[in-house]
């Protein structure tokens, strides 16, 4: 069985190697884009079942954003929703024979954490202005400046390791059981892996909301700092 810490190069684009996780990422992205187009075509004032289910799903995402960030959901819906559903389907891709979840590889998780890191900077500056955002690192006193700066990086590191460790370990355990017990015995473990994948996507999305919300400053930032 191939180690989850290694990546298989499928082909080259010039000097750039394209690995299995990259191809899986492209497939997940294409599925999300095509699915979004299909689900949002022909929207009506009087929704059918498909549109009603979609509105219910979006409403749940908005409610979680408002509850966690104490901020208008519309500003963050696209970012948080995309992060959640990408990680969800990336984790679940392990159920497809021959595919391995890109979230079981550090490069994908680093990229996701990097998106949250730069998004927190962007929204923090947009909310507080450059001066206000930089001054927030000196709160509650100037002596906290190096610790607050270090914390902004350790958050991203923590998100990366948490997602990588949980997804990679699940893939590795199921691979071991499959190699030892055959096809049908690990089915309960595969169901558990689906649940774990959903939980990990939810946790990463919530942490993203907390970290971005803490960069907004004021009462919103203070509330989210207490949550984290």
């Amino acid at each position: 069985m191939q180690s989850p810490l290694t990546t298989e190069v499928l082909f080259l684009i010039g000097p750039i190697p394209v690995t299995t996780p990259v191809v899986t990422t492209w497939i997940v992205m294409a599925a999300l884009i095509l699915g979004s187009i299909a689900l949002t075509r022909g929207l009506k004032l009087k929704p059918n079942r498909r549109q009603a289910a979609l509105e219910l799903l979006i409403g749940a995402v908005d409610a979680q954003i408002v509850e966690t960030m104490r901020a208008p959901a519309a500003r963050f819906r696209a970012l948080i929703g995309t992060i959640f559903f990408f990680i969800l389907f990336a984790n679940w891709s392990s159920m497809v024979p021959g595919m391995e979840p890109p979230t079981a590889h550090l490069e994908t998780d680093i990229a996701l954490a990097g998106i949250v890191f730069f998004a927190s900077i962007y929204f923090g500056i947009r909310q507080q202005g450059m001066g206000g955002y930089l001054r927030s690192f000196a709160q509650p006193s100037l002596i906290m400046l190096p610790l607050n700066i270090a914390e902004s990086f350790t958050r991203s590191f923590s998100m990366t390791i948490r997602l990588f460790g949980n997804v990679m370990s699940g893939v590795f355990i199921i691979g071991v059981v499959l190699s030892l017990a055959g096809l049908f015995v690990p089915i309960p473990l595969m169901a558990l892996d689906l649940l774990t994948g959903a939980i990990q996507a939810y946790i990463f999305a919530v942490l993203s909301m907390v970290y971005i919300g803490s960069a907004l400053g004021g009462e919103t930032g203070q509330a989210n700092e207490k949550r984290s």
Side-chain angles (χ1 to χ4, degrees):
M1 182 184 62
Q2 184 180 2
S3 170
L5 295 175
T6 63
T7 57
E8 179 185 356
V9 176
L10 296 180
F11 56 90
L12 297 174
I13 300 180
I16 302 174
V18 178
T19 62
T20 302
V22 172
V23 174
T24 306
T25 298
W26 291 345
I27 294 173
V28 172
M29 291 169 58
L32 290 174
I33 292 172
L34 295 176
S36 299
I37 294 174
L39 289 173
T40 55
R41 290 183 62 185
L43 298 180
K44 301 177 182 179
L45 292 177
K46 185 178 180 180
N48 53 25
R49 292 182 180 180
R50 171 180 58 83
Q51 184 175 336
L54 179 63
E55 291 177 358
L56 182 64
L57 184 62
I58 294 175
V61 173
D62 286 355
Q64 186 67 65
I65 292 173
V66 172
E67 179 183 353
T68 304
M69 302 183 69
R70 299 290 192 267
R75 291 175 58 190
F76 308 99
R77 181 189 302 129
L79 175 63
I80 300 301
T82 300
I83 288 174
F84 171 76
F85 286 109
F86 172 80
I87 295 177
L88 178 66
F89 286 99
N91 291 346
W92 284 358
S93 67
S94 63
M95 298 296 102
V96 180
M99 295 182 67
E100 56 180 320
T103 44
H105 294 269
L106 273 173
E107 56 268 28
T108 302
D109 302 329
I110 291 172
L112 289 167
I115 290 172
V116 176
F117 175 77
F118 288 108
S120 65
I121 296 175
Y122 168 77
F123 286 111
I125 294 175
R126 183 177 177 182
Q127 177 76 13
Q128 304 183 70
M130 179 64 74
Y133 176 72
L134 294 177
R135 283 193 298 270
S136 69
F137 287 96
Q139 300 297 327
S141 64
L142 187 61
I143 197 173
M144 296 297 294
L145 177 63
L147 293 178
N148 288 334
I149 293 176
E151 183 187 22
S152 66
F153 290 98
T154 57
R155 284 175 171 179
S156 299
F157 178 77
S158 174
M159 294 176 74
T160 299
I161 297 303
R162 179 184 286 109
L163 182 60
F164 168 72
N166 284 285
V167 178
M168 182 271 292
S169 61
V171 172
F172 186 72
I173 290 173
I174 289 180
V176 170
V177 175
L178 278 171
S179 64
L180 296 177
L183 178 61
F184 295 102
V185 175
I187 288 179
L189 286 178
M190 295 172 70
L192 180 61
D193 192 47
L194 289 175
L195 177 61
T196 302
I199 292 174
Q200 292 305 316
Y202 175 76
I203 291 174
F204 196 98
V206 169
L207 288 176
S208 300
M209 288 184 275
V210 170
Y211 295 159
I212 294 173
S214 66
L216 299 179
E219 296 181 359
T220 300
Q222 294 172 6
N224 283 284
E225 285 290 349
K226 292 179 180 179
R227 286 172 175 267
S228 61

